[in-house]
Amino acid sequence: MESKRKIIVILGPTASGKSALAVRIAKKINGEIISADSRQVYKELNIGTGKITKKEMSGVPHYCLDMVSPKKIFTVVDFKNCANEAIEKIFAKNKTPIIVGGTGLYIQAVVDNIVLPEVKPNWKLRKELDKKTNEEMFAMLKKLDPKRAKNIDAKNPRRLIRAIEIAKILGKIPHLEAPLPSYDVLQIGIKLPDEILKKNIEKRIKKILKDGLVAETKKLKASRLSWKKIYELGFEYKYPALFLQKKISKEDMLQKIILENWQYAKRQMTWFKRDKRIKWISEEKQVGKFVKEFLK
């Protein structure tokens, strides 16, 4: 019997050091990297999303980054197609695919080969939902599809709108399992103590502000994105947008981005903890052991 092809996943909350760790592993095992980040797929969102730079890639090819304009909507189905294509390309070079990211649904879609429905955007519904608050949309989703409501990011209007759209058309979001993919998966999760993760988040936010986050947000506005659309790109853009409109102070902007990131990191961990197959590590030397064992 032919042995299964192997894939490694490096996951964890925001600011846990996933990207750098994935590059180090890729260099050791002749791997290439697939980014599983729902915002790094967008062009022009570089500083705010913490997108890996060419220099940080250290020559390791990366896939599923910088694919679409922030004016477009990129779905889990789009990501799964991109990831599957990248996986085949990497295997064709006799290398090991390494999926890295913090978007749980993206990772699960590939790891468990979930068949997701192709539902076209319902513009009329979107217009109506645009007028609602996140809380109102979350309450709607809870009624339509309680299962999806349990694991959605309730503060992400794009996700809420998409989930309601699908649930309205299909009754509820189906999680149809396809035949399992013909590869073995090792999932490694980075779990840092709260105080270290908090420090990392604070350090990261201060760095991206220093690197020009406000200017990047200004540029998005100049590219004819509405303020509302910019808010939907995540809190790293929402608060600089409010600052640019003189609605909050510089200090407020910093504190709010830090707090929202910390709350988001906790939501990410809640999502990941449901998957008992993830091997959690707190220091890098544990990774080598797992990877060696898995690839032999």
Side-chain angles (χ1 to χ4, degrees), residues 210-228:
K210 201 167 142 251
D211 290 348
L213 178 61
V214 174
E216 183 168 274
T217 309
K218 215 176 191 167
K219 214 168 140 193
L220 289 168
K221 186 73 183 88
S223 73
R224 307 191 55 180
L225 274 182
S226 67
W227 287 123
K228 188 171 189 305

Side-chain angles (χ1 to χ4, degrees), residues 14-33:
T14 186
S16 55
K18 304 179 289 287
S19 303
L21 175 61
V23 167
R24 289 193 290 272
I25 292 172
K27 292 182 95 155
K28 276 186 192 145
I29 65 163
N30 197 21
E32 294 191 352
I33 293 170

Side-chain angles (χ1 to χ4, degrees), residues 231-260:
Y231 298 162
E232 288 175 5
L233 298 172
F235 15 89
E236 289 90 352
Y237 296 100
K238 178 184 175 180
Y239 294 110
L242 289 169
F243 169 69
L244 285 167
Q245 295 168 81
K246 302 194 166 35
K247 290 184 178 176
I248 57 171
S249 69
K250 204 170 188 173
E251 184 53 32
D252 268 352
M253 168 176 69
L254 170 69
Q255 293 311 330
K256 280 183 165 32
I257 304 176
I258 291 171
L259 177 67
E260 291 264 23

Side-chain angles (χ1 to χ4, degrees), residues 121-130 165:
N122 175 341
W123 299 109
K124 189 170 170 263
L125 174 67
R126 284 187 181 189
K127 245 191 168 128
E128 288 165 22
L129 293 175
D130 256 350
E165 194 168 60

Side-chain angles (χ1 to χ4, degrees), residues 30-283:
N30 197 21
E32 294 191 352
I33 293 170
I34 298 161
S35 164
D37 186 295
S38 63
R39 295 182 313 152
Q40 293 184 6
V41 296
Y42 292 107
K43 296 170 185 167
E44 296 143 55
L45 306 191
N46 302 321
I47 299 169
T49 62
K51 198 181 283 172
I52 191 165
T53 63
K54 273 275 177 282
K55 191 179 166 203
E56 289 163 345
M57 287 180 190
S58 297
V60 175
H62 280 62
Y63 301 82
C64 304
L65 284 171
D66 280 329
M67 296 176 62
V68 290
S69 148
K71 292 174 184 162
K72 294 218 162 73
I73 284 186
F74 189 89
T75 66
V76 187
V77 177
D78 295 326
F79 171 73
K80 195 175 175 223
N81 292 340
C82 175
N84 286 341
E85 214 173 283
I87 286 167
E88 291 310 322
K89 275 184 191 159
I90 298 166
F91 280 139
K93 299 184 198 175
N94 282 323
K95 293 186 172 192
T96 304
I98 301 169
I99 298 175
V100 60
T103 305
L105 190 59
Y106 279 20
I107 293 167
Q108 198 190 349
V110 177
V111 168
D112 294 329
N113 198 21
I114 294 172
V115 180
L116 292 141
E118 287 273 13
V119 171
K120 291 202 168 21
N122 175 341
W123 299 109
K124 189 170 170 263
L125 174 67
R126 284 187 181 189
K127 245 191 168 128
E128 288 165 22
L129 293 175
D130 256 350
K131 294 172 192 146
K132 297 192 181 296
T133 63
N134 290 350
E135 289 76 17
E136 287 168 332
M137 288 196 283
F138 184 61
M140 272 178 84
L141 182 63
K142 254 170 134 168
K143 274 196 188 122
L144 287 164
D145 188 356
K147 196 175 165 194
R148 179 72 181 106
K150 269 198 186 105
N151 55 39
I152 199 163
D153 177 354
K155 289 192 171 183
N156 185 324
R158 279 189 174 199
R159 290 271 165 85
L160 289 165
I161 288 171
R162 185 68 187 146
I164 291 169
E165 194 168 60
I166 294 170
K168 272 194 176 291
I169 290 171
L170 300 169
K172 65 181 193 316
I173 297 180
H175 290 280
L176 310 166
E177 301 292 325
L180 278 174
S182 55
Y183 33 75
D184 278 333
V185 182
L186 166 68
Q187 295 190 83
I188 292 171
I190 304 175
K191 191 174 191 304
L192 300 175
D194 283 0
E195 59 279 12
I196 291 178
L197 188 58
K198 268 184 180 159
K199 269 201 186 95
N200 285 1
I201 287 172
E202 192 168 325
K203 212 162 112 190
R204 183 186 155 233
I205 303 308
K206 285 180 173 167
K207 185 184 183 299
I208 63 177
L209 280 165
K210 201 167 142 251
D211 290 348
L213 178 61
V214 174
E216 183 168 274
T217 309
K218 215 176 191 167
K219 214 168 140 193
L220 289 168
K221 186 73 183 88
S223 73
R224 307 191 55 180
L225 274 182
S226 67
W227 287 123
K228 188 171 189 305
K229 199 82 167 158
I230 291 171
Y231 298 162
E232 288 175 5
L233 298 172
F235 15 89
E236 289 90 352
Y237 296 100
K238 178 184 175 180
Y239 294 110
L242 289 169
F243 169 69
L244 285 167
Q245 295 168 81
K246 302 194 166 35
K247 290 184 178 176
I248 57 171
S249 69
K250 204 170 188 173
E251 184 53 32
D252 268 352
M253 168 176 69
L254 170 69
Q255 293 311 330
K256 280 183 165 32
I257 304 176
I258 291 171
L259 177 67
E260 291 264 23
N261 263 280
W262 169 239
Q263 289 172 341
Y264 176 56
K266 288 198 289 189
R267 291 197 296 276
Q268 286 175 298
M269 286 306 287
T270 303
W271 171 284
F272 291 134
K273 277 178 187 160
R274 301 172 319 145
D275 192 339
K276 301 295 173 238
R277 297 165 298 182
I278 296 170
K279 296 187 183 322
W280 292 99
I281 59 144
S282 54
E283 47 189 41

